Amino acid sequence: MTAKKAKKNDEEIETEPVDAETDSEEEEIVIDVPEEPEATVDDLPGVGPATAEKLREAGYEDLLSIAVMTPVELADSAELGEAVSVKIIAGAKKLANIGGFLSGGALLERRRQVQKLTSSSSNLDELLGGGFETQAICEVYGEFGSGKTQIGHQLAVNTVLPIEEGGFGGEVFYIDTEDTFRPERITQMARAAGLDPEMVLERIHVARAYNSPHQMLLVDEIKRMSRNIDVKLVIVDSLTSHFRAEYIGRANLAPRQQKLNKHLKELKQLADINNALVLVTNQVHSKPDAMWGDPTKPIGGHIVGHASTFRLYLRKSGKGGRRICRLVDSPNLPEGEAVFVVTADGIRD
Ligand code: GTP
Ligand code: MG
């Protein structure tokens, strides 16, 4: 579902080959797989009770979360040998059935679990085919003041809304890199949505990320905490600001892109494992007069574009807080635009 076409004319270096259009849903072979009881870490071949306990202590209850790791990562975080980690990961891949093909039926079942979150603007919801989807990374990019953070706040409030009202009835993790999260704004929007502001604030877990390694560490923390919390929305606002400030110059572009890629992969895991939405914000290149750096292009180039399931481009338009949102990239929806406004109550038509 997340396979994207690699785009040409991108001034940034691609550091990993893009597996373009290989895992499209339609191409899967349909085989009916009988239902089996869900396997746990105890079922991993060659894993005794002591190792299973180590895995659990390190936060790996779930086979899918092990299956998608690299041996070095697993060895480090669960304090295991690398050879053992290789075996564990291979076993988890088999049991979690992600090493090879999934049946079309199984994929359809996974897609059936996708939920959609309202933005409080019916124009915007319509553009997105009914709202912001789970199991996906949605990138919102645009210049300063275009409304990225406001959308983040609105979706955080709406995540708490019951499902019947277009919400997820769940909780939110908000990684704030620019110190722009405002509880007062949440209070305003919660009241307008008919929710108790204190209850809403209780369900939004905010962490300030001080630099890019810290930002990445916070994803691990969310992974751990999501064992006990029904996380339905993860926001990273902004995804790229630290990376951009820390990796300066062309020589640092490749390592920056590698780190960003890893970060996005971990975020996608969160989205898949929790059937949650991940919303990341991104700025556009700032200098309109520069030789390179298109001011309408988001930072991070291919890497971010390839990892995001949906990309929304926001622009300010005229007076009265009017904003235009363009759906730039989506696996199953037509490109298009929607107009919304930012009001005291939040995002509206
Ligand atoms: P950067 O993070 O700087 O890149 O910008 P951004 O895209 O995150 O912009 P943000 O979402 O912070 O939008 C800020 C704009 O939202 C302001 O310029 C206002 O136009 C609007 N806004 C924010 N709060 C309110 C509010 O309480 N009432 C109204 N009417 N508008 C608001
Ligand atoms: Mg912002």
Side-chain angles (χ1 to χ4, degrees):
M1 261 165 305
T2 55
K4 286 289 162 62
K5 276 158 269 183
K7 285 179 204 68
K8 281 168 269 157
N9 307 329
D10 198 313
E11 79 293 351
E12 294 190 320
I13 305 169
E14 192 67 43
T15 55
E16 271 202 8
V18 175
D19 50 333
E21 300 183 295
T22 48
D23 48 357
S24 133
E25 217 172 307
E26 291 78 30
E27 288 161 23
E28 303 291 346
I29 304 154
V30 182
I31 309 161
D32 261 337
V33 181
E35 272 205 25
E36 280 170 35
E38 219 172 284
T40 69
V41 287
D42 302 286
D43 302 318
L44 286 167
V47 167
T51 309
E53 195 46 42
K54 265 192 181 175
L55 288 168
R56 267 199 208 90
E57 266 171 26
Y60 302 112
E61 299 259 20
D62 172 284
L63 291 177
L64 183 59
S65 66
I66 297 172
V68 292
M69 296 190 81
T70 69
V72 177
E73 278 173 341
L74 185 62
D76 275 357
S77 53
E79 291 172 9
L80 297 163
E82 251 186 68
V84 177
S85 300
V86 170
K87 272 189 201 146
I88 291 176
I89 290 167
K93 275 184 180 153
K94 265 193 203 133
L95 290 176
N97 193 20
I98 66 150
F101 288 92
L102 272 180
S103 74
L107 274 175
L108 195 61
E109 186 47 43
R110 229 170 78 86
R111 283 291 301 166
R112 272 205 196 101
Q113 290 167 8
V114 166
Q115 293 169 278
K116 292 182 181 180
L117 180 67
T118 181
S119 62
S120 299
S121 151
S122 53
N123 292 344
L124 208 51
D125 290 355
E126 212 170 287
L127 181 70
L128 287 165
F132 288 75
E133 283 189 6
T134 58
Q135 298 176 23
I137 295 183
C138 180
E139 177 200 2
V140 179
Y141 70 92
E143 60 169 355
F144 67 94
S146 58
K148 305 180 292 291
T149 299
Q150 294 302 310
I151 288 190
H153 280 60
Q154 185 70 62
L155 293 185
V157 170
N158 292 359
T159 293
V160 180
L161 275 176
I163 293 170
E164 314 83 73
E165 292 174 40
F168 285 157
E171 307 204 12
V172 181
F173 283 95
Y174 200 116
I175 299 178
D176 183 10
T177 73
E178 300 182 309
D179 205 10
T180 51
F181 177 82
R182 292 289 174 274
E184 308 88 285
R185 194 70 182 116
I186 296 292
T187 300
Q188 256 181 324
M189 291 179 178
R191 277 214 187 92
L195 293 167
D196 170 21
E198 269 181 43
M199 180 273 281
V200 174
L201 286 168
E202 214 43 51
R203 286 168 170 67
I204 303 176
H205 312 273
V206 187
R208 180 79 207 282
Y210 292 98
N211 51 39
S212 69
H214 185 210
Q215 182 176 330
M216 293 177 73
L217 212 60
L218 286 169
V219 176
D220 291 340
E221 186 61 19
I222 296 174
K223 210 188 274 175
R224 258 191 298 281
M225 288 178 76
S226 66
R227 284 195 284 158
N228 306 315
I229 292 177
D230 183 25
V231 49
K232 296 302 291 184
L233 172 63
V234 176
I235 296 177
V236 187
D237 184 16
S238 121
L239 174 75
T240 45
S241 59
H242 283 317
F243 288 93
R244 193 185 189 190
E246 290 162 22
Y247 295 83
I248 299 162
R250 290 197 88 77
N252 284 315
L253 203 50
R256 182 190 84 179
Q257 295 298 79
Q258 267 157 16
K259 284 282 187 220
L260 256 178
N261 194 32
K262 180 163 188 280
H263 187 38
L264 284 159
K265 276 187 178 157
E266 287 169 353
L267 286 166
K268 185 62 170 52
Q269 279 176 33
L270 278 183
D272 287 341
I273 292 169
N274 297 293
N275 191 23
L277 160 67
V278 172
L279 185 89
V280 302
T281 70
N282 195 0
Q283 278 214 321
V284 289
H285 294 277
S286 53
K287 291 181 203 131
D289 54 339
M291 298 273 287
W292 47 274
D294 183 340
T296 69
K297 285 267 157 55
I299 311 293
H302 279 167
I303 293 291
V304 181
H306 180 61
S308 328
T309 323
F310 300 94
R311 313 192 86 182
L312 297 174
Y313 175 37
L314 301 188
R315 319 196 288 286
K316 286 184 267 194
S317 153
K319 289 175 275 272
R322 253 171 65 106
R323 304 284 193 282
I324 297 172
C325 172
R326 177 163 192 81
L327 179 64
V328 178
D329 219 343
S330 142
N332 53 353
L333 293 169
E335 289 206 356
E337 290 193 341
V339 177
F340 69 93
V341 289
V342 183
T343 72
D345 287 347
I347 305 294
R348 293 293 184 269
D349 277 339

